[in-house]
């Protein structure tokens, strides 16, 4: 979801540290950890978007940058909820209800997010 193993480890580490500090007051550790990791991922993505906008103001983007991983590039362009739903469904093996709970969304929203993301992935990768 964040595009880097190192960044993902940092997000999980921060979530675990936060959970440790609040351990005595947490009723559902699994749900807490899921939510903390997702919120950390959202913060990373928001920070990247803000950085990208600032860099665009400072200098033009060079489109001649080599593309090593096309799938990663396409996933990175998806809206956060679609990307998170795809990752949780196909990489973490979570059900739509588990994804809805983790993203604090209605269960009926998850299917359309995944559907739209798959359409975009197919279109971009073909």
């Amino acid at each position: 979801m964040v595009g880097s193993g190192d960044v993902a480890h940092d997000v999980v580490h921060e979530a675990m540290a936060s959970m440790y500090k609040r351990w005595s007051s947490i009723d559902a550790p699994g749900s807490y950890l899921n939510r903390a990791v997702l919120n950390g991922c959202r913060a990373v993505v928001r920070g990247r978007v803000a950085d990208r906008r600032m860099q665009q103001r400072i200098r033009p983007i060079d489109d001649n940058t080599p593309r090593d991983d096309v799938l990663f590039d396409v996933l990175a362009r998806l809206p956060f909820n679609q990307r998170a739903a795809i990752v949780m469904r196909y990489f973490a093996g979570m059900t739509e209800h588990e994804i809805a709970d983790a993203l604090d969304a209605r269960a009926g929203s998850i299917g359309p997010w995944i559907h739209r993301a798959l359409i975009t992935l197919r279109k971009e990768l073909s």
Side-chain angles (χ1 to χ4, degrees):
M1 282 192 279
V2 294
S4 165
D6 291 334
V7 174
H9 287 287
D10 290 345
V11 168
V12 172
H13 181 275
E14 290 296 321
M16 294 291 282
S18 173
M19 190 167 91
Y20 177 76
K21 290 177 189 174
R22 295 173 180 83
W23 185 257
S24 62
S25 64
I26 297 173
D27 294 331
S31 296
Y32 180 93
L33 185 60
N34 245 354
R35 182 66 50 89
V37 169
L38 282 168
N39 287 340
C41 291
R42 283 186 179 115
V44 167
V45 170
R46 278 193 303 267
R48 285 182 184 160
V49 169
D51 287 346
R52 209 173 304 132
R53 287 181 182 152
M54 182 58 73
Q55 288 175 0
Q56 286 175 346
R57 290 180 188 161
I58 296 171
R59 64 177 170 79
I61 294 177
D62 179 20
D63 282 339
N64 295 327
T65 306
R67 303 288 181 175
D68 293 333
D69 189 351
V70 176
L71 178 60
F72 171 75
D73 289 343
V74 175
L75 279 171
R77 288 193 300 265
L78 291 173
F80 181 82
N81 285 340
Q82 289 180 17
R83 182 173 57 249
I86 288 287
V87 169
M88 286 189 265
R89 178 70 182 105
Y90 295 105
F91 293 97
M94 296 171 73
T95 66
E96 288 188 12
H97 289 287
E98 291 170 331
I99 295 168
D101 184 48
L103 292 174
D104 195 25
R106 291 183 302 116
S109 298
I110 305 306
W113 289 346
I114 291 173
H115 179 73
R116 283 186 291 246
L118 290 175
I119 288 172
T120 301
L121 289 171
R122 283 186 194 110
K123 211 182 291 182
E124 294 285 328
L125 295 173
S126 62

